[in-house]
Amino acid sequence: MNGLGTDGGGSTHDTVSSTHNTVSGDAVIVGPLLMAQHIEGIQLPPPPPDVPPSQGPMPSRVFVNRTKELADLRDAALSLAAGPEPGVVLVVGVGGVGKTQLVAQAVRRELHRLFPDGQLYVDLADHRRDGAVDLAAVLGEFLRALRVHKDYVPGGLAERTALFRSVAATLRLLVKVDNVQHAPEVRALVPPQGLLVATGRRVLPSLLMDGAVLIDVAPLDGAAGTELVRRWHADADEGKAADVVRLCAGHPLALRAALEWLAARPQLTLDDVVRDLTAGRYGTGDDGVREATGMAMGAGGGTEEGGVGEAVDTVLDSVVAGVSGHTRHLYDLLGVLPGTTATADLLTATGATQVDEGLGELLSCRLAVLVESSDRPRRYRLHDVVRAHARLRARALPEERRRAVLRLVVDFYADAAAHGDALVLGDRFRIQPPPVRPLSELAARGTLFTGRPDALEWLDAERANFRAAVRAAADEGWYEDVWRLCESLWALYHSRKHLADCVESGLLGIEAAQHEARPDVEIRMRNQVARAAYELGDLDRAESQLDAAADLLGLAGDPRLSGVVQESRGLIALARGRSEESPGAARERAEEARELFERALAANRAVPDPHGIVVQSYNVAQALVAGERWADALDVLDEAAETARTTGDEPMLPRIDLVRAHAFAGLGSLDRAVAAAGAAADAAAGLKQFAKLDQALELLTALADRAEDRPLRVACEEKLGALRRTMGLRPPAAPTA
């Protein structure tokens, strides 16, 4: 039900006035022309700069011999771009052979001209868990890169896929995807127009059957490798350079690491590199470790890949052995970290010293790279082949040392997440106490983040690391840290709609609560999983989690836990009511939801929790409107609005006025409905709640159409179109009348 029925049941709210009758707070009934002018005057934020995204690793200045591969990639792109359908190119080779750099070179030289609307990039290794990629998260990043405001990014994969295809429908885009393992990962990210270039370690036959073009990238041959060595080391003897290429199996990553190491030691020569690599003096001597590193190079595990892996392993052993002690310590720390990236703040928290110097040396040796990030801190990561080597080294560390590092990592993320949660969601109900360490103690310099937007960006940038930290804590049996992280991360998962992450971490949180015999925590965790499932449209799964949570309510002391469960049940009842075909069945669902929200309201009044009282009153009113009890809803909303103003809960006021507008419309009081919707639009614009502003303008458009108020309808349509353009969406279709 949309609340726009014609029931005119008697109520003091049902009186229709002509002008200047106060409806709610500052909402005033005005004439049609004045309201249209008022809507026209609503200030929207300036649109983001109209600059096409240009994502992905930068090309290197030194790049040799890949003439054939570059030509093949260029020819494939030209051919596919000329066709009516989007195209796919699959670039295959062992890890670290230079696939990503090949694509970067091709883009810089020619491909960028074919795709003027921008380049999107993702490394699927950052989004892969248990072998599967969180494609919803990838599409969310793509949408934001295409200037879709976060408030307009939906939660589910299907909705994000549809929006991506809609936003990109007229754009000539180049999408670059690293570390592809399965064909469906590619198909989901193909732009409607343009080209997708994927890199991976194995051929995907089903993609070739779909028409993808294959580019095979092999290690450098002797001549090309020697040319590369002599570009880096101009006075190198050709014979010695050829020996280095042979010992590195023609692998560009190994060659670069060896020559960077030599460049930092001007007292040594290429003979020293050849001698050390020939002797393998820095190797572990563990054939199993070398075999594992070889397998990390590629998916097939064939003789050639194994030989390349052993060569790279030998080079990395030599390079790591030659760096300073504090840098070697940092490298080993990076091998222990559960996530994929690290900041100087995190490394300092784990006990590392001379962090800036060590990171600088790792960067200069090409063992680490800088990562693009939307927030302020510089993030570092090891190349995936180097990371495999570092993690194998970490296996040789004493177990006590490894666990001590993990302990510090988990402590850092647990405290940081708690501080971020407090800034993002404010004074909400939490089970865990505030962190002991102040936010300033978590940063090596300055602070991790300041203010809500900054905190949310930081949490989002660390999302993969949070996921890894939760898993690591669960594996180590640190159950309190697991649920603490899960509770705090609701601020991120709910705000940015990382719903799959919310389910995954929540299930670990449930297990942790059971280990800790904490029914209160288990209720909270099950409710978070239920809310994520609800937003994903999986109502059956949500209800099963809430059933299990309800069974534990008798063991929980805080009445608000009952409130959150009843609220979630009420939301599900409302959702089921919207899908009912029978009006009578829909009203029954609405009444069921009202009763559940009334219980949640009573639980919050028992504490008392002012914000919870406002939220549950608003929910009760929603259920009353769905049940066509318009006047009753208005009475509840009046009280909720007064409480919100008294307690400073302004963010709830636009939501309250939107429901108020539906209630007035249901009573037939269209002027009051317009005034309430206008008040919602004003408040939402002032609070920068752009999704709520969108809802208010859509409702005003419908009300104007119903009232045959053309000036107001035109004003709302124009403002709504401007808002959606600002938010990165195409404007709605032009009116036909």
Side-chain angles (χ1 to χ4, degrees):
M1 296 210 174
N2 61 14
L4 293 179
T6 58
D7 184 357
S11 165
T12 56
H13 296 283
D14 195 20
T15 303
V16 181
S17 302
S18 56
T19 58
H20 297 293
N21 290 333
T22 299
V23 175
S24 166
D26 296 327
V28 176
I29 298 174
V30 298
L33 183 60
L34 289 178
M35 179 57 77
Q37 292 173 345
H38 184 77
I39 294 302
E40 291 170 356
I42 290 178
Q43 294 297 310
L44 300 180
D50 189 15
V51 178
S54 181
Q55 298 181 336
M58 297 294 293
S60 169
R61 293 177 62 87
V62 179
F63 190 79
V64 299
N65 190 56
R66 297 297 192 185
T67 306
K68 180 181 183 302
E69 292 90 341
L70 283 170
D72 289 346
L73 184 51
R74 178 201 62 214
D75 292 345
L78 286 169
S79 174
L80 293 170
E85 302 295 330
V88 174
V89 176
L90 180 60
V91 181
V92 175
V94 297
V97 78
K99 302 182 294 295
T100 299
Q101 187 57 217
L102 173 71
V103 175
Q105 293 289 336
V107 170
R108 180 181 66 83
R109 298 180 187 198
E110 294 187 73
L111 299 193
H112 70 279
R113 289 191 289 269
L114 298 175
F115 307 101
D117 295 314
Q119 304 160 32
L120 301 174
Y121 171 78
V122 64
D123 185 342
L124 294 187
D126 291 337
H127 295 274
R128 194 179 305 279
R129 52 180 196 275
D130 297 332
V133 169
D134 186 355
L135 290 170
V138 176
L139 288 168
E141 292 181 0
F142 281 4
L143 287 168
R144 293 181 67 194
L146 293 172
R147 300 186 294 281
V148 176
H149 192 275
K150 60 181 178 61
D151 289 354
Y152 282 71
V153 176
L157 174 59
E159 293 85 355
R160 289 187 178 188
T161 301
L163 183 57
F164 173 64
R165 290 173 180 168
S166 175
V167 170
T170 60
L171 303 179
R172 300 287 292 174
L173 291 173
L174 175 62
V175 177
K176 300 170 286 184
V177 184
D178 276 344
N179 286 306
V180 167
Q181 293 184 5
H182 307 288
E185 299 168 356
V186 175
R187 295 189 183 107
L189 303 177
V190 175
Q193 294 194 54
L195 182 71
L196 183 144
V197 180
T199 71
R201 297 181 183 179
R202 62 178 181 178
V203 175
L204 302 176
S206 62
L207 279 185
L208 302 185
M209 293 176 67
D210 290 345
V213 177
L214 177 65
I215 308 291
D216 188 19
V217 183
L220 296 171
D221 60 25
T226 299
E227 179 187 351
L228 183 60
V229 171
R230 299 187 76 181
R231 289 280 296 274
W232 284 330
H233 200 66
D235 59 350
D237 174 82
E238 185 171 349
K240 292 299 179 182
D243 287 340
V244 173
V245 174
R246 175 179 54 81
L247 290 166
C248 291
H251 196 286
L253 177 66
L255 286 169
R256 179 128 198 174
L259 270 297
E260 290 280 0
W261 177 85
L262 177 62
R265 293 159 180 80
Q267 76 277 14
L268 301 181
T269 68
L270 213 57
D271 289 310
D272 297 296
V273 175
V274 171
R275 183 178 61 252
D276 288 351
L277 292 178
T278 301
R281 66 177 58 185
Y282 300 116
T284 63
D286 186 338
D287 291 338
V289 168
R290 290 193 180 281
E291 180 181 355
T293 307
M295 291 297 291
M297 298 292 299
T303 302
E304 181 181 355
E305 289 175 342
V308 173
E310 290 180 7
V312 174
D313 186 39
T314 300
V315 172
L316 294 177
D317 283 338
S318 298
V319 171
V320 172
V323 299
S324 58
H326 64 268
T327 301
R328 193 158 51 248
H329 174 68
L330 205 61
Y331 185 79
D332 289 339
L333 278 178
L334 290 167
V336 176
L337 297 183
T340 58
T341 64
T343 61
D345 296 319
L346 173 63
L347 294 168
T348 301
T350 61
T353 58
Q354 296 179 265
V355 172
D356 291 336
E357 294 85 344
L359 287 170
E361 192 169 6
L362 290 177
L363 289 171
S364 68
C365 292
R366 294 303 190 271
L367 295 175
V369 295
L370 275 170
V371 180
E372 294 181 13
S373 178
S374 58
D375 73 328
R376 174 173 40 80
R378 293 163 68 90
R379 285 181 166 76
Y380 306 84
R381 66 175 297 172
L382 301 177
H383 185 283
D384 52 356
V385 173
V386 179
R387 185 164 65 243
H389 176 265
R391 288 184 172 172
L392 288 167
R393 280 177 57 95
R395 293 182 187 177
L397 296 175
E399 180 66 11
E400 303 78 29
R401 181 182 173 191
R402 186 192 66 81
R403 291 191 88 235
V405 171
L406 280 179
R407 176 74 267 174
L408 293 170
V409 170
V410 171
D411 286 346
F412 173 86
Y413 279 123
D415 284 350
H419 283 294
D421 173 28
L423 281 172
V424 173
L425 293 183
D427 189 22
R428 73 178 180 113
F429 165 51
R430 299 174 179 86
I431 294 177
Q432 64 180 298
V436 175
R437 283 189 291 182
L439 185 58
S440 59
E441 285 189 13
L442 298 177
R445 292 182 297 272
T447 185
L448 296 183
F449 39 76
T450 57
R452 182 185 186 278
D454 195 21
L456 192 53
E457 287 300 324
W458 189 92
L459 292 171
D460 209 3
E462 292 283 353
R463 185 171 66 90
N465 296 329
F466 276 122
R467 190 169 63 231
V470 171
R471 285 181 170 183
D475 291 342
E476 296 295 334
W478 299 332
Y479 300 120
E480 181 177 351
D481 299 283
V482 172
W483 68 258
R484 280 185 61 205
L485 278 162
C486 292
E487 184 180 43
S488 297
L489 289 172
W490 174 255
L492 167 64
Y493 295 156
H494 181 67
S495 298
R496 289 288 167 86
K497 302 303 178 188
H498 296 308
L499 303 177
D501 282 4
C502 187
V503 171
E504 179 191 3
S505 66
L507 293 176
L508 291 174
I510 290 169
E511 293 180 9
Q514 291 170 341
H515 279 287
E516 293 275 284
R518 290 290 302 269
D520 55 340
V521 173
E522 184 176 348
I523 292 168
R524 191 64 185 268
M525 296 294 101
R526 288 190 181 277
N527 186 70
Q528 289 187 183
V529 173
R531 290 294 289 270
Y534 158 77
E535 293 199 41
L536 288 168
D538 191 348
L539 302 185
D540 291 338
R541 182 177 191 177
E543 283 193 323
S544 68
Q545 288 292 336
L546 294 172
D547 288 343
D551 291 340
L552 299 170
L553 287 175
L555 302 175
D558 196 311
R560 286 174 291 185
L561 290 167
S562 173
V564 298
V565 172
Q566 304 305 338
E567 177 188 20
S568 297
R569 285 186 180 280
L571 292 172
I572 292 171
L574 278 181
R576 292 199 185 280
R578 286 191 290 269
S579 64
E580 295 282 2
E581 295 183 1
S582 163
R587 282 192 291 270
E588 287 180 7
R589 288 287 192 181
E591 180 61 17
E592 176 190 350
R594 183 196 63 78
E595 291 176 356
L596 290 163
F597 290 140
E598 289 281 11
R599 294 176 201 166
L601 177 58
N604 281 275
R605 281 176 171 158
V607 176
D609 184 332
H611 176 66
I613 291 171
V614 174
V615 170
Q616 300 314 325
S617 298
Y618 160 81
N619 283 332
V620 169
Q622 284 197 99
L624 290 168
V625 167
E628 301 182 2
R629 295 171 56 182
W630 324 112
D632 292 339
L634 289 168
D635 290 335
V636 173
L637 290 167
D638 286 345
E639 183 179 351
E642 180 61 29
T643 303
R645 292 191 191 91
T646 302
T647 59
D649 201 352
E650 279 80 11
M652 285 299 299
L653 293 175
R655 302 170 70 182
I656 290 170
D657 275 326
L658 278 172
V659 179
R660 191 193 304 277
H662 282 293
F664 276 126
L667 289 170
S669 301
L670 294 186
D671 53 353
R672 289 174 176 257
V674 167
D682 283 342
L687 293 166
K688 298 184 179 180
Q689 294 181 356
F690 301 120
K692 291 300 174 189
L693 175 57
D694 191 299
Q695 292 175 25
L697 291 171
E698 268 204 320
L699 178 56
L700 278 167
T701 303
L703 292 170
D705 192 57
R706 182 174 160 184
E708 299 181 355
D709 184 345
R710 180 174 175 79
L712 178 57
R713 189 188 72 182
V714 171
C716 291
E717 287 171 344
E718 290 179 352
K719 186 62 67 173
L720 190 57
L723 173 65
R724 290 178 177 173
R725 286 190 293 273
T726 299
M727 296 294 105
L729 303 181
R730 291 184 299 176
T736 57

